[in-house]
């Protein structure tokens, strides 16, 4: 592994899919264990002229915590062919700095002081499953089944890896799991997202 391949956070490789009525039976047949069932509200924010979302930046509040997802390089889009890659900031100071830079305004004391508008808000019920590790693998495979309060349902298979070199194999693993679940569709794109955890 070259020094440049090691990233400061983890890379999350994921694919979304439409879950069928028997998806949990199929998960159990694969040896999956239910880790948790949680309910949370996501609220998304932007400026009146939508300057964040138009540059592929997504600022949301989940419960009491803020998160910001944006492409790794400024001016780029997260979508790269059939995959996407986003940085995820969870520290309020880091989020304030990045949003301030994008909006071209001085850094305020807190995120609320930007005066941004909420443009979407919904409650999600999530059931999270952990699949057993394959031999010679330390990658965690997680399947989330989400149902939003407006009736939309979606599943997501994700694998966490530590280096860019592991991403291609992780994509293959994610697609394999989707096929085993019987819910694979080429219309649902895989993506890689770099998770940057603050100190």
């Amino acid at each position: 592994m070259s020094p440049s391949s090691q990233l400061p956070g983890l890379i999350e490789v994921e694919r979304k899919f439409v879950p069928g009525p028997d998806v949990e039976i199929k998960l159990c047949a694969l040896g999956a264990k239910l880790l948790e069932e949680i309910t949370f509200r996501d609220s998304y924010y932007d400026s009146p002229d939508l300057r964040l979302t138009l540059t592929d930046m997504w600022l949301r509040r989940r419960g009491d915590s803020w998160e910001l997802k944006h492409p790794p390089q400024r001016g780029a889009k997260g979508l790269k062919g059939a995959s996407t890659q986003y940085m995820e900031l969870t520290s309020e100071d880091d989020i304030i700095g990045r949003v301030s830079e994008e909006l071209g305004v001085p850094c305020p004391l807190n995120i609320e002081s930007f005066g941004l508008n909420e443009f979407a808000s919904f409650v999600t019920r999530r059931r999270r499953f952990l699949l057993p590790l394959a031999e010679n693998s330390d990658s965690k495979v997680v399947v989330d089944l989400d149902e939003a309060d407006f009736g939309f349902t979606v599943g997501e298979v994700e694998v966490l890896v530590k280096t860019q070199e592991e991403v291609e194999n992780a994509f293959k693993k994610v697609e394999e799991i989707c096929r085993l679940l019987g819910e694979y569709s080429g219309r649902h794109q895989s993506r890689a997202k770099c998770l940057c955890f603050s100190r």
Side-chain angles (χ1 to χ4, degrees):
M1 174 173 51
S2 65
S4 61
S5 68
Q6 184 69 51
L7 297 173
L10 294 173
I11 303 171
E12 181 182 279
V13 178
E14 60 188 30
R15 179 180 287 274
K16 296 192 184 299
F17 65 92
V18 178
D22 60 348
V23 66
E24 291 196 23
I25 295 172
K26 292 178 179 178
L27 281 167
C28 289
L30 292 174
K33 302 295 183 188
L34 178 65
L35 285 180
E36 62 181 350
E37 182 172 332
I38 58 174
T39 301
F40 54 87
R41 176 177 290 278
D42 283 330
S43 299
Y44 287 82
Y45 292 83
D46 205 342
S47 59
D49 57 358
L50 303 177
R51 285 167 67 187
L52 298 179
T53 53
L54 288 175
T55 56
D56 205 12
M57 294 181 65
W58 305 93
L59 177 64
R60 76 178 175 201
R61 187 167 197 162
R62 177 171 289 177
D64 295 327
S65 301
W66 288 95
E67 299 173 353
L68 177 68
K69 298 181 181 180
H70 64 87
Q73 295 181 342
R74 187 169 183 176
K77 295 293 182 184
L79 183 63
K80 301 288 185 187
S83 65
T84 60
Q85 186 171 7
Y86 287 94
M87 304 291 290
E88 182 174 306
L89 302 179
T90 57
S91 159
E92 283 202 33
D93 288 342
D94 293 342
I95 293 171
I96 289 170
R98 185 66 184 89
V99 171
S100 174
E101 178 186 355
E102 191 63 38
L103 298 179
V105 299
C107 290
L109 293 176
N110 53 50
I111 295 173
E112 290 85 351
S113 297
F114 281 116
L116 301 174
N117 300 323
E118 179 185 293
F119 68 87
S121 183
F122 51 89
V123 174
T124 298
R125 182 177 71 99
R126 169 172 293 170
R127 288 171 61 79
R128 172 164 285 176
F129 294 83
L130 178 66
L131 286 170
L133 295 176
E135 285 186 34
N136 304 321
S137 172
D138 59 357
S139 297
K140 186 166 71 170
V141 180
V142 174
V143 177
D144 289 336
L145 302 178
D146 289 353
E147 182 177 359
D149 58 1
F150 54 89
F152 180 74
T153 60
V154 66
E156 181 179 274
V157 178
E158 63 182 30
V159 176
L160 296 176
V161 295
K162 297 178 181 177
T163 66
Q164 194 66 43
E165 288 80 2
E166 297 172 284
V167 168
E168 188 60 37
N169 283 336
F171 275 129
K172 292 176 182 175
K173 182 66 175 176
V174 165
E175 291 175 8
E176 175 193 355
I177 296 298
C178 285
R179 280 191 288 270
L180 289 172
L181 292 176
E183 312 298 339
Y184 176 80
S185 169
R187 294 173 302 176
H188 299 284
Q189 297 174 335
S190 299
R191 68 180 186 173
K193 178 174 64 181
C194 182
L195 305 179
C196 297
F197 299 106
S198 304
R199 293 186 290 271

